[in-house]
């Protein structure tokens, strides 16, 4: 039996200093250096447990990061598959699957307004600090959260929805993505290629919801967009912040072992 484990990275498995949460911290390990400084971390227990999880399952990082941004992360494992750009890129042994990328772009172009139109809409006053496009697929802006005008996000979300795009506010970033660009579609492709019969998933943002909805079982941290929205479609960690990441890896190992035990039990009972 093959269990596929698909997990978001930022604020789900890996955490910047600003996302650590309150209270005393256990021993940490840096898993990402950016501009010569530590950026992302995991607890030492989470690092150890993730290595064990990857030996027991097909572990797949699933992120809105571009492939270049993803490659900065140094996890304790080297996954055979990684999903980047919210499903727009499928890396196989670290190499971009060109056929998958082309198919995604064709599907997105046929079903949503052009990227340039949406990127231009991501503007405003001084609260918009930077605007970017990623992988020629989606747009995002870095904003000053404290200075965001009331209703700006809701207005943007409504405007995008009319053009078959969706929005997500994560930390200081506002993302706009075409509706056809999903993590779930890429995860289903990995399940097909690996023959996985059970998929487990984790994530913290609205961009993770399709992945969590499509999984056989899912978990989310007690923080982030889904938590703020009170979304109840997945198990929820007891902890928030970086300790939730440790809890999520433990949840994956426990749930995967349970699914494998169920399969073994059925095989034993069958004549």
């Amino acid at each position: 039996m093959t269990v596929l484990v698909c997990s978001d990275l930022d604020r789900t498995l890996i955490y910047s200093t600003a996302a650590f949460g309150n209270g005393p911290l256990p021993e940490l390990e840096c898993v990402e250096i950016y501009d010569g400084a530590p950026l992302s971390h995991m607890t030492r227990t989470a690092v150890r447990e993730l290595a064990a999880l990857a030996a027991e399952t097909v572990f797949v990082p699933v992120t809105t990061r571009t492939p270049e941004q993803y490659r900065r992360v140094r996890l304790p494992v080297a996954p055979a598959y990684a999903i980047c750009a919210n499903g727009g890129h499928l890396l196989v042994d670290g190499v971009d699957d060109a056929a998958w990328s082309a198919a995604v772009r064709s599907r997105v172009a046929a079903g949503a307004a052009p990227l340039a139109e949406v990127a231009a809409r991501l503007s405003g006053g001084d609260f918009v600090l930077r605007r970017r496009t990623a992988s020629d697929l989606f747009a995002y802006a870095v904003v000053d959260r404290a200075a965001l005008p009331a209703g700006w996000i809701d207005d943007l979300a409504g405007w995008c929805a009319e053009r078959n795009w969706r929005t997500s506010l994560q930390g200081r970033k506002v993302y706009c993505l075409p509706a056809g660009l999903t993590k779930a579609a890429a995860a289903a492709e990995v399940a097909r290629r690996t023959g996985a019969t059970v998929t487990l998933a984790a994530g913290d943002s609205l961009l993770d919801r399709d992945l969590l909805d499509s999984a056989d079982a899912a978990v989310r941290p007690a923080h982030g967009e889904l938590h703020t929205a009170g979304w109840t479609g997945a198990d929820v960690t007891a902890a928030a912040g970086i300790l939730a990441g440790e809890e999520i890896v433990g949840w994956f190992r426990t749930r995967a072992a349970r699914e494998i035990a169920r399969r073994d039990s059925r095989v034993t009972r069958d004549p």
Side-chain angles (χ1 to χ4, degrees):
M1 178 183 186
T2 300
V3 176
L4 178 65
V5 172
C6 295
S7 182
D8 175 53
L9 290 179
D10 294 282
R11 295 177 180 249
T12 299
L13 281 190
I14 67 175
Y15 292 78
S16 66
T17 304
F20 280 175
N22 300 321
L25 295 172
E27 291 185 295
L28 304 178
E29 289 195 17
C30 178
V31 294
E32 181 182 15
I33 300 290
Y34 184 59
D35 281 347
L39 179 60
S40 299
H41 306 76
M42 299 173 67
T43 71
R44 186 156 294 175
T45 297
V47 167
R48 183 176 62 250
E49 289 289 290
L50 182 59
L53 175 70
E56 300 159 352
T57 66
V58 176
F59 169 70
V60 180
V62 185
T63 179
T64 306
R65 289 177 177 230
T66 65
E68 294 75 20
Q69 293 167 333
Y70 163 73
R71 290 186 179 108
R72 298 198 308 251
V73 179
R74 293 291 180 260
L75 297 173
V77 296
Y81 295 93
I83 295 168
C84 299
N86 217 70
H89 290 276
L90 178 59
L91 306 187
V92 183
D93 293 326
V95 179
D96 193 18
D97 186 318
W100 174 260
S101 295
V104 170
R105 280 158 177 74
S106 177
R107 181 172 69 246
V108 166
L115 171 61
E117 179 182 350
V118 177
R121 182 63 173 75
L122 264 180
S123 60
D126 293 341
F127 62 89
V128 177
L129 306 179
R130 292 188 299 277
R131 291 186 298 162
R132 298 284 188 272
T133 59
S135 295
D136 293 324
L137 283 168
F138 62 91
Y140 67 93
V142 179
V143 299
D144 180 350
R145 286 285 296 263
L148 276 178
W152 186 81
I153 291 292
D154 290 340
D155 289 345
L156 175 66
W159 184 91
C160 284
E162 292 173 355
R163 290 155 179 80
N164 210 21
W165 284 64
R166 53 192 172 137
T167 61
S168 173
L169 176 61
Q170 302 178 38
R172 298 172 62 237
K173 291 182 179 179
V174 179
Y175 291 89
C176 296
L177 291 91
L181 185 66
T182 69
K183 295 179 177 181
E189 175 64 12
V190 176
R192 184 189 68 80
R193 295 188 188 193
T194 60
T197 52
V198 172
T199 297
L200 308 178
D204 70 300
S205 80
L206 292 175
L207 298 181
D208 297 311
R209 182 169 173 175
D210 62 273
L211 175 65
L212 274 58
D213 278 336
S214 66
D216 295 287
V219 62
R220 66 167 177 83
H223 61 250
E225 274 190 312
L226 293 175
H227 189 69
T228 299
W231 187 67
T232 58
D235 289 349
V236 183
T237 62
I242 196 169
L243 290 176
E246 180 178 307
E247 195 174 333
I248 285 168
V249 181
W251 183 94
F252 277 139
R253 290 198 70 196
T254 299
R255 190 63 188 244
R258 184 188 309 170
E259 295 297 335
I260 293 169
R262 285 178 179 171
R263 190 285 309 264
D264 291 344
S265 177
R266 288 196 298 269
V267 169
T268 302
R269 290 198 306 267
D270 288 341

